[in-house]
Amino acid sequence: MQIYRHTSKALNILLSREERLVYALCREEISDVLLAERTHLPLDVLKGILASLLEYGLIETVAGTQGTPSIKPEESDPLAPVKAQLLAALEAELGTKAEKYRSEIEQKQSLAELEEWSLKLVLKLRLTISQKAAEALEARLKTLFT
């Protein structure tokens, strides 16, 4: 997963309808997975658009979790892949604010404990930070824990 955002370069070229849509969604940091979800574009088409916008210098890659997971999986922790996916989802929705939850995620010892904590976090986000981020995170959690 890659995370993208606008650069400071002025938009002085003509973009296709899909390119404009993706460019507009990159005003805030956003992952390629979330872009595909919001635009309903096939992933290969989206990757081509992102490559074009990167080439034009209109967007930049902020972070990537594809080759380097945010949480280093340890052989002794069978939950490591789930924890990494959860942290990636948080980073996609909250950006740098997700880092403060890393230690809490790493402390969880069971899948049930991790799921319960995640649902409480969604409620906390809904009440304090962002209704939109809470809804997006809740949708991601459903796919993660089902």
Side-chain angles (χ1 to χ4, degrees):
M1 178 171 50
Q2 301 288 324
I3 300 176
Y4 301 92
R5 72 169 171 220
H6 277 199
T7 62
S8 58
K9 185 175 180 180
L11 178 59
N12 57 2
I13 59 172
L14 187 59
L15 298 175
S16 71
R17 182 175 163 236
E18 289 84 8
E19 287 173 327
R20 282 192 316 267
L21 175 61
V22 172
Y23 178 73
L25 289 171
C26 289
R27 284 187 190 124
E28 297 178 5
E29 292 182 1
I30 189 168
S31 70
D32 50 2
V33 175
L34 194 55
L35 279 168
E37 187 178 301
R38 290 187 180 166
T39 61
H40 302 288
L41 292 170
L43 199 53
D44 58 333
V45 172
L46 178 65
K47 293 286 186 184
I49 291 171
L50 289 168
S52 296
L53 293 174
L54 284 165
E55 186 178 315
Y56 298 146
L58 297 173
I59 63 170
E60 63 186 352
T61 304
V62 177
T65 57
Q66 213 166 18
T68 56
S70 299
I71 298 176
K72 307 271 189 296
E74 299 174 16
E75 283 103 40
S76 62
D77 187 3
L79 293 175
V82 176
K83 290 177 180 179
Q85 289 177 346
L86 177 58
L87 189 60
L90 283 173
E91 288 172 345
E93 298 307 324
L94 301 176
T96 57
K97 293 178 183 176
E99 189 62 32
K100 68 181 179 182
Y101 300 111
R102 178 186 298 271
S103 63
E104 290 182 64
I105 292 171
E106 291 173 348
Q107 291 172 3
K108 303 306 174 212
Q109 299 297 315
S110 71
L111 189 60
E113 187 181 6
L114 193 59
E115 183 176 10
E116 181 183 347
W117 177 86
S118 300
L119 294 173
K120 287 179 182 177
L121 179 61
V122 167
L123 182 60
K124 179 180 176 181
L125 292 176
R126 193 178 305 278
L127 296 172
T128 59
I129 297 177
S130 166
Q131 181 78 21
K132 183 178 174 183
E135 289 172 4
L137 183 60
E138 186 173 32
R140 286 171 170 256
L141 292 177
K142 286 180 183 177
T143 62
L144 188 60
F145 292 111
T146 54

